[in-house]
Amino acid sequence: MADRLTQLQDAVNSLADQFCNAIGVLQQCAPPASFSNIQTAINKDQPANPTEEYAQLFAALIARTAKDVDVLIDSLPSEESTAALQAASLRQLEEENHEAAARLEEVVYRGDLLLEKIQNALADIAQSQLRTRNAAPGLPSPAES
């Protein structure tokens, strides 16, 4: 995964490509301008291209890429972020991480206790079933039926 600046540069390059492509396609599809007393046969026989569809498509692409650029810019650290502020933020994140780790350890411990209780209960059930089968020797076991 690329860092934020590389992602931002890629998004800006993509935006520039989209602008160039949009201008090129719109110029290609645009109807010829009429000049006084000059008749041109260029593009007279070509069918009308859906310039409105192209305009909508490029507008949507450019708008989405511009939003991506805005999101990437907003995710960059601000100039007001000094080393002291960053260190304080890192300390706070570290404290939150330690608290979350302690909660996780507690949950894992309780889960282990619960697992042990369940295993003991299953062992008791299995022993009870074995005693029941051994107590009634005339009854067929499930494997024999």
Side-chain angles (χ1 to χ4, degrees):
M1 185 80 190
D3 65 357
R4 289 187 201 145
L5 287 177
T6 304
Q7 290 175 339
L8 180 60
Q9 184 62 49
D10 290 343
V12 170
N13 287 342
S14 177
L15 190 61
D17 287 342
Q18 291 169 359
F19 275 122
C20 289
N21 289 337
I23 291 170
V25 168
L26 293 177
Q27 283 179 343
Q28 180 182 8
C29 297
S34 62
F35 293 102
S36 61
N37 299 331
I38 299 177
Q39 292 291 334
T40 59
I42 300 173
N43 293 332
K44 279 191 175 184
D45 296 332
Q46 292 181 349
N49 290 326
T51 57
E52 187 64 33
E53 290 176 20
Y54 287 135
Q56 292 293 329
L57 172 69
F58 283 113
L61 286 172
I62 290 169
R64 188 180 73 225
T65 306
K67 285 180 185 177
D68 292 345
V69 168
D70 285 341
V71 168
L72 287 169
I73 288 172
D74 289 340
S75 72
L76 293 173
S78 66
E79 292 178 6
E80 300 157 355
S81 179
T82 64
L85 287 174
Q86 289 176 359
S89 175
L90 286 176
R91 277 193 299 275
Q92 180 181 356
L93 288 173
E94 201 170 305
E95 288 175 17
E96 290 173 7
N97 187 24
H98 287 300
E99 291 171 5
R103 286 192 308 267
L104 179 62
E105 287 176 2
E106 176 63 27
V107 169
V108 168
Y109 176 74
R110 284 187 280 153
D112 286 341
L113 290 177
L114 185 60
L115 177 63
E116 186 177 336
K117 286 181 182 179
I118 291 171
Q119 288 174 338
N120 289 336
L122 288 174
D124 289 343
I125 292 169
Q127 289 299 324
S128 175
Q129 286 180 342
L130 286 175
R131 279 192 299 259
T132 305
R133 285 191 186 139
N134 290 337
L139 296 176
S141 67
E144 295 174 0
S145 7

